[in-house]
Amino acid sequence: MEQNIYQQLGLKRVINACGKMTILGVSSVDPEVMQAVARAASAFVEIDKLTDAAGEQVSHHTGTEASYVTSCASAGIAIAVAAAVTRGDPAKVAQMPDSSGMANEILILRGHNVDYGAQIGSAVRLGGGRLVEVGASNLAVRWQLESAVTPNTAALIYVKSHHCVQKGMLSFDDFLEAARSRGLPLIVDAAAEEDLQRWGNSGADMVIFSGAKAFNAPTSGFITGKTRWIAACKAQHTGIARAMKIGKENIVGLIYALDRYAAAGAAGAADGPESLRTAVEAISAIRGLRADIEQDEAGRAIWRIRVTVDEKALGMSVRDVEEQLRGGEIAIYTRRYQLHQGVFSLDPRTLAAGEMALIVARLQDIADHAAD
């Protein structure tokens, strides 16, 4: 088999059964999108006007009043927080991320204060914010959110992610009502969400998406929402956002990827659970392994294969199996969030043709050698 560009640089071939994760380069970008990126990279443009035009194109897809393109979703968090803290005041923008003397508290559910590869608090601090946690790790109630609002509160942030605690949390509507009643902006971190319009039309002021996750764009992101707050985001262009700038080529790549995503519609949706049955049966036939189908933790229409390791029957722990998958000649990455429960999962969305068969063969090989 012909080596890919990374193998030519002396790196391993990677099979990504983990999902659209930053540690593995997020997405596989369509060649037509990359052709647009190459054309954009080879020409000059007035960046401010491109930024405005791109924002209009994004809003066409999201149905919101305005949008601002960023380098990634994490940058979007920092910029949205800075917008809430400074409200676009040029003097305050220039002072960021030092928010001394400003209302800078950002309310978040404790169960939403997650690490997505970096702590969400890091992005908030880059924007001059200070996180204030609401509730306990597994339970929050409305009065806790309302009583946490003080004159120092700049915004509320609601995180929609599989990383978050999925039970006992307040709803988005609770956050929206609390923000509206106190005249505060509501930020939604919807980095990996696939519905372009749901969150932007929900009443939130600033909604943050990754371009590279659900939409298979090159590295990029965007903030979409209300004109007033997107203007305050754009004001950061001469402040902290300068260190997070996105290149002209990736702006164009994002627009082309969003166009393709919208055109694909239902035809571009992930395959349903029935498409995984053959692989589930093949894995379950391997000694010491049992496979079934699970839905995404956050309730999205994403289906994965969950593999349970019977350590006694296999003669090997789930951690050993997962380590051997990553450590082979081809590095096979799985979703490893539940290793402590004897389980790992396989995400088919990021697999190329024939790669599921390679995973099954590798699992069989590991089981065969475990018996030696």
Side-chain angles (χ1 to χ4, degrees):
M1 180 179 292
E2 183 181 353
Q3 290 187 333
N4 67 31
I5 193 167
Y6 299 112
Q7 289 174 287
Q8 293 171 16
L9 292 173
L11 303 172
K12 279 187 180 183
R13 176 185 171 186
V14 170
I15 292 179
N16 177 10
C18 186
K20 298 182 179 183
M21 312 295 285
T22 300
I23 62 168
L24 298 178
V26 192
S27 295
S28 176
V29 182
D30 186 273
E32 288 187 15
V33 174
M34 291 311 299
Q35 289 172 12
V37 168
R39 294 199 302 273
S42 65
F44 294 104
V45 68
E46 295 173 306
I47 290 294
D48 287 348
K49 292 183 179 179
L50 173 62
T51 300
D52 290 341
E56 292 174 4
Q57 290 294 315
V58 170
S59 292
H60 170 75
H61 291 294
T62 61
T64 58
E65 296 175 5
S67 301
Y68 177 65
V69 178
T70 68
S71 59
C72 62
S74 189
I77 295 171
I79 293 167
V81 167
V85 172
T86 66
R87 305 201 168 206
D89 182 310
K92 293 179 179 179
V93 168
Q95 187 177 318
M96 288 291 106
D98 178 2
S99 57
S100 302
M102 306 177 206
N104 63 2
E105 293 180 354
I106 309 296
L107 303 189
I108 189 171
L109 292 173
R110 179 170 291 180
H112 285 190
N113 189 4
V114 297
D115 188 315
Y116 49 79
Q119 294 181 6
I120 193 169
S122 295
V124 169
R125 287 191 296 274
L126 284 171
R130 184 174 74 83
L131 273 185
V132 175
E133 292 184 338
V134 173
S137 298
N138 64 335
L139 181 65
V141 292
R142 180 69 175 268
W143 69 261
Q144 292 173 317
L145 177 62
E146 293 174 341
S147 65
V149 177
T150 74
N152 290 322
T153 304
L156 285 66
I157 184 167
Y158 184 86
V159 182
K160 178 62 177 175
S161 170
H162 69 275
H163 291 296
C164 294
V165 174
Q166 302 297 329
K167 63 178 183 178
M169 297 294 100
L170 293 173
S171 70
F172 168 80
D173 287 341
D174 287 320
F175 266 66
L176 182 61
E177 291 170 13
R180 288 292 169 267
S181 67
R182 302 301 181 94
L184 293 167
L186 175 58
I187 301 167
V188 175
D189 175 7
E193 288 294 284
E194 300 180 330
D195 189 331
L196 271 165
Q197 298 202 348
R198 174 187 175 187
W199 298 102
N201 294 316
S202 65
D205 297 285
M206 293 173 274
V207 183
I208 300 151
F209 285 92
S210 166
K213 289 188 176 175
F215 313 122
N216 296 332
T219 302
S220 57
F222 57 90
I223 309 167
T224 191
K226 304 291 178 59
T227 299
R228 170 192 177 187
W229 294 107
I230 299 304
C233 290
K234 287 184 179 181
Q236 314 307 315
H237 203 60
T238 56
I240 65 162
R242 176 70 177 183
M244 308 169 189
K245 64 185 178 183
I246 177 174
K248 60 185 186 294
E249 60 281 348
N250 281 20
I251 294 176
V252 170
L254 170 64
I255 298 308
Y256 270 70
L258 289 177
D259 288 344
R260 288 182 59 83
Y261 184 83
D271 291 334
E274 290 305 316
S275 65
L276 303 177
R277 296 291 180 193
T278 299
V280 165
E281 292 171 3
I283 294 171
S284 294
I286 299 172
R287 179 183 56 84
L289 302 182
R290 184 180 76 255
D292 60 2
I293 296 172
E294 66 177 0
Q295 189 175 1
D296 176 68
E297 305 96 314
R300 294 174 294 173
I302 297 171
W303 306 92
R304 303 185 180 98
I305 297 175
R306 177 173 54 202
V307 181
T308 302
V309 176
D310 183 333
E311 183 172 349
K312 184 175 181 180
L314 183 61
M316 181 182 292
S317 73
V318 66
R319 293 184 184 277
D320 290 335
V321 173
E322 199 270 342
E323 184 177 342
Q324 289 204 26
L325 285 171
R326 292 194 184 205
E329 184 177 345
I330 298 175
I332 300 173
Y333 277 72
T334 71
R335 295 175 72 84
R336 58 200 304 266
Y337 301 118
Q338 295 178 308
L339 289 181
H340 63 288
Q341 295 179 328
V343 171
F344 61 85
S345 300
L346 306 173
D347 192 326
R349 297 176 301 156
T350 42
L351 294 178
E355 289 187 337
M356 183 64 82
L358 290 176
I359 294 172
V360 174
R362 178 60 179 145
L363 287 170
Q364 183 67 66
D365 181 63
I366 290 171
D368 289 345
H369 283 84
D372 293 345

